[in-house]
Amino acid sequence: NSFLQTKPMRKILHASSPRNLRALKAHDWQLLAESACLLWGKLETEGLLSFVPTAYPTLCLLLKGHFYFSYCDSPQIAITRIFEEQPIHNLLHAAASFHATPDSFLKEVLEHHKNQLLSPIDGKTPLHLLCTRLNANSTEHWIRVFLELCQTAARLTDHSGRLPFHHACESGITWSQGLSDLLKATPYAAVAHINGRSPFQLAVIAYEDKSDQEDPLRGTSRWSATRRRRTCQDQTPDDDQQVENQDQNRSLDQINTLFRLLLLDPTVVADLV
């Protein structure tokens, strides 16, 4: 198929050779992983995945590369772990932590490596890492799937004492995006403070950070630049209204989340009185 010979596909396959990968830096790993995820989606849409036997191992390698460069103390350690350990080792951690991992790929990894659900890296299980994903539309679905398979993972703390629930609060995940499901598995998490901060306070900080990044008045924000570019090129009034509705729904969801967290642990207000 001609798509398999396109420049992006050939570039990914060329860059993914062990010799080339050893020279990459952390940012390069991220770009390659994101590109490979996009290509996976394209191959899946075109019905070509079965014709590209290198697609699965290539994406495995790139996701693990990005994961290790994010979590290891040095590039040397990351490279060693990437190329000297078994390809399947910590694969679920890498797939769960990356915001752009295709759902079909994560499903396949999860089906074959359920045994990694309780395996910690620096105390973090795949569920901890899943709850740190930003801008991933399917996080809610996967939180529920992970909990159905292994609810015990929700009760494990990492080395900093954080439950997956706390990571979700810090990442800006809202009540309807999976926070309620995590709380059902660990009801006591609502009153468990981290470094003196309640889940309510963790969520407030996360939403403020996201608001700063998405403020259209900030000319340097990635979101505003993208929106201006789309508006100038092909944005229609209906598209603008849809974006505005999404912003409003997100704000309402955040307010609802904060209200529920405050009801569960009102001590943060009592301290102010």
Side-chain angles (χ1 to χ4, degrees):
N1 190 289
S2 59
F3 174 70
L4 304 183
Q5 303 302 322
T6 59
K7 186 175 181 180
M9 189 66 187
R10 286 187 281 112
K11 188 174 181 180
I12 287 291
L13 294 177
H14 172 72
S16 301
S17 68
R19 180 179 179 181
N20 292 327
L21 289 177
R22 289 180 183 273
L24 296 180
K25 300 185 183 302
H27 182 64
D28 300 320
W29 281 97
Q30 179 175 342
L31 290 177
L32 278 174
E34 288 177 344
S35 299
C37 287
L38 289 173
L39 285 171
W40 176 283
K42 177 67 174 177
L43 288 169
E44 187 174 29
T45 301
E46 299 291 333
L48 298 173
L49 273 177
S50 59
F51 296 98
V52 188
T54 57
Y56 184 82
T58 297
L59 189 49
C60 289
L61 179 64
L62 293 176
L63 287 177
K64 286 189 61 177
H66 172 264
F67 176 73
Y68 283 135
F69 266 83
S70 300
Y71 283 90
C72 290
D73 294 332
S74 71
Q76 291 77 16
I77 295 175
I79 288 293
T80 299
R81 298 201 65 174
I82 293 167
F83 292 105
E84 292 188 7
E85 71 178 22
Q86 293 183 355
I88 64 170
H89 193 61
N90 295 333
L91 180 56
L92 184 56
H93 298 75
S97 66
F98 195 57
H99 68 92
T101 300
D103 286 345
S104 58
F105 180 83
L106 182 53
K107 179 181 178 181
E108 188 168 347
V109 173
L110 187 58
E111 286 177 352
H112 291 91
H113 306 295
K114 293 186 182 74
N115 61 313
Q116 296 181 13
L117 281 167
L118 289 177
S119 300
I121 295 180
D122 292 334
K124 293 183 177 69
T125 67
L127 181 59
H128 284 96
L129 297 167
L130 179 70
C131 292
T132 65
R133 297 206 310 180
L134 300 176
N135 305 321
N137 295 326
S138 56
T139 297
E140 173 194 359
H141 166 73
W142 289 113
I143 286 176
R144 290 177 178 171
V145 170
F146 276 44
L147 289 174
E148 288 174 2
L149 291 172
C150 185
Q151 198 170 93
T152 302
R155 298 191 286 271
L156 299 179
T157 58
D158 62 15
H159 289 170
S160 66
R162 286 168 169 79
L163 294 161
F165 177 81
H166 294 114
H167 282 287
C169 290
E170 290 179 315
S171 298
I173 292 175
T174 62
W175 195 261
S176 66
Q177 291 175 326
L179 204 59
S180 61
D181 298 290
L182 290 166
L183 192 62
K184 289 176 184 176
T186 53
Y188 54 88
V191 294
H193 293 202
I194 298 297
N195 295 330
R197 290 174 175 167
S198 69
F200 169 83
Q201 292 168 313
L202 297 176
V204 168
I205 294 171
Y207 298 156
E208 286 181 345
D209 290 343
K210 278 179 169 287
S211 178
D212 288 343
Q213 294 172 3
E214 297 173 353
D215 187 352
L217 297 178
R218 296 176 181 266
T220 57
S221 84
R222 182 171 52 187
W223 181 88
S224 61
T226 302
R227 187 173 185 183
R228 286 199 307 274
R229 187 163 57 250
R230 288 178 178 173
T231 302
C232 293
Q233 293 177 355
D234 57 359
Q235 197 90 344
T236 67
D238 288 341
D239 292 332
D240 286 337
Q241 185 61 48
Q242 185 178 5
V243 170
E244 185 175 345
N245 291 340
Q246 290 174 348
D247 290 344
Q248 291 176 350
N249 290 337
R250 181 171 61 244
S251 296
L252 289 173
D253 201 11
Q254 292 175 352
I255 292 171
N256 175 58
T257 302
L258 293 175
F259 177 71
R260 290 177 179 273
L261 291 175
L262 196 56
L263 285 178
L264 291 166
D265 182 15
T267 58
V268 65
V269 176
D271 292 341
L272 298 176
V273 177

